[in-house]
Amino acid sequence: MKTFTTVVRYDDVSKDLDIYIKEELLKNGFTVDEVSPSIVIVIGGDGTFLHAVHERIEELDKVKFYGIHTGTLGFFTDYRSDQVDEFINDLINKKPFITDYQLLEATVDDNKKYYAVNEIRIENISRTQVIDVFVNETEFETFRGTGMCVSTQLGSTAYNRSLHGSVIQEGLPLIQLSEIAGIHHKAYRSLGASIVMKENTKIEFKSDNFSGAYLCADAYNYPIDNVNKIDVILCEKRVKMLKFKEISYFKRLQSLF
Ligand code: NAP
């Protein structure tokens, strides 16, 4: 339980905190293990947290994440940089509880899998993308536009929010489908609003032509030119976070927006 590594944003405040946190933890019986740590300490922002999770995507069952935000509060972190001593003291002296969050899994042509904490997007910025959307094997609509975004509860405040999707309160393991610049006129019409669905929903995107399109999993993008089908579900992979205190979801929202 006492092995750790850090993932640090490239700014001076985060780098200085990294040095301080490491010194204090090493003095208190922790050891650095960059290969298979039990704790990954994230110093930076929610974006840094996403990168830290993706670096360990194959070993999420073995690690727990613990974060300090060098900006405001954040959705993945419970401490700001001016609370660094509390952050260290809690880790050394207090008994944690674990909160875990299911990841999205995108399966491309029944084969390759990609995972996301916030959202899976299909985006084509070079031409109108036509996508047939199926929900739990039932044909739902044909979308035309830039793309579609499937987000988790955690991701509801990220890209999804910029698409005017709903912000989903913590504790509701729902998935949400939002349009990215859908075309709506007499000839073409899709729902034009985001839909919040049950956690066990499977969303399927099919197209005869995904050329120029990308599958985006959080900050990572993959070309899908020769792909025909992408399924998205909430999967059994989970990211586990170390917690020492409860912070109201609405306090986080208020501090961020
Ligand atoms: P990034 O710079 O790491 O993140 C972009 C911004 O999104 C940062 O301000 C980040 O917060 C914030 N963020 C990330 N996850 C969040 C969450 N769950 N709730 C609220 N804010 C969140 O950008 P990136 O590396 O390209 O992509 C990472 C994520 O950024 C994506 O998963 C996507 O959701 C989001 N993003 C949003 C837009 C948009 O809204 N138009 C565009 C690109 C990316 P910190 O400052 O704390 O890191």
Side-chain angles (χ1 to χ4, degrees):
M1 185 63 182
K2 288 196 160 189
T3 56
F4 75 100
T5 189
T6 57
V7 176
V8 186
R9 192 163 65 185
Y10 296 105
D11 62 83
D12 289 341
V13 176
S14 303
K15 284 184 199 162
D16 289 347
L17 275 185
D18 179 40
I19 294 168
Y20 181 64
I21 290 167
K22 272 190 183 137
E23 278 173 3
E24 293 301 311
L25 291 182
L26 292 177
K27 275 191 242 163
N28 283 280
F30 284 74
T31 51
V32 175
D33 182 344
E34 284 167 10
V35 180
S36 56
S38 55
I39 303 168
V40 173
I41 296 181
V42 181
I43 305 166
D46 288 338
T48 323
F49 176 85
L50 293 173
H51 288 289
V53 172
H54 280 267
E55 274 180 14
R56 304 262 163 202
I57 208 87
E58 296 305 334
E59 55 205 90
L60 289 181
D61 51 330
K62 296 189 201 123
V63 286
K64 293 168 190 71
F65 293 84
Y66 185 50
I68 183 160
H69 203 294
T70 45
T72 169
L73 244 186
F75 281 92
F76 305 134
T77 51
D78 295 340
Y79 304 82
R80 299 182 313 268
S81 48
D82 58 352
Q83 297 170 310
V84 62
D85 289 321
E86 181 189 344
F87 175 84
I88 294 167
N89 182 56
D90 285 355
L91 184 57
I92 295 170
N93 297 313
K94 286 195 183 166
K95 194 171 159 43
F97 58 96
I98 310 288
T99 310
D100 63 22
Y101 297 91
Q102 276 177 279
L103 266 58
L104 287 169
E105 177 185 87
T107 308
V108 172
D109 281 342
D110 297 322
N111 182 18
K112 183 118 182 67
K113 294 188 187 297
Y114 299 93
Y115 297 94
V117 178
N118 273 346
E119 78 275 315
I120 297 281
R121 307 183 314 267
I122 296 174
E123 287 192 70
N124 196 329
I125 58 160
S126 56
R127 62 179 182 85
T128 301
Q129 181 63 55
V130 180
I131 306 175
D132 294 322
V133 182
F134 294 71
V135 177
N136 292 336
E137 317 288 347
T138 301
E139 188 164 5
F140 174 61
E141 65 179 6
T142 297
F143 167 86
R144 290 171 183 81
T146 298
M148 304 207 89
C149 170
V150 181
S151 84
T152 59
Q153 176 274 321
L154 265 181
S156 69
T157 43
Y159 204 119
N160 170 74
R161 185 174 163 275
S162 301
L163 301 172
H164 306 294
S166 295
V167 169
I168 308 284
Q169 189 182 1
E170 196 169 33
L172 299 171
L174 306 165
I175 58 173
Q176 183 165 183
L177 175 66
S178 303
E179 296 186 359
I180 306 174
I183 299 171
H184 304 114
H185 54 48
K186 276 187 182 161
Y188 302 140
R189 181 150 293 279
S190 48
L191 188 66
S194 80
I195 326 171
V196 177
M197 290 174 263
K198 291 179 188 169
E199 61 193 286
N200 56 0
T201 307
K202 178 168 93 168
I203 304 170
E204 219 170 359
F205 301 109
K206 291 185 184 172
S207 180
D208 293 338
N209 185 4
F210 274 125
S211 64
Y214 283 82
L215 184 154
C216 312
D218 298 332
Y220 299 84
N221 306 322
Y222 309 92
I224 49 169
D225 301 65
N226 299 314
V227 164
N228 294 114
K229 181 171 84 103
I230 294 156
D231 298 340
V232 183
I233 55 165
L234 262 184
C235 69
E236 278 315 305
K237 241 184 215 300
R238 286 164 192 271
V239 54
K240 295 184 204 144
M241 301 194 201
L242 274 188
K243 296 270 177 185
F244 294 93
K245 55 186 178 182
E246 298 277 6
I247 295 182
S248 146
Y249 186 72
F250 294 94
K251 193 167 177 188
R252 284 185 211 273
L253 260 187
Q254 185 201 34
S255 88
L256 209 73
F257 300 114

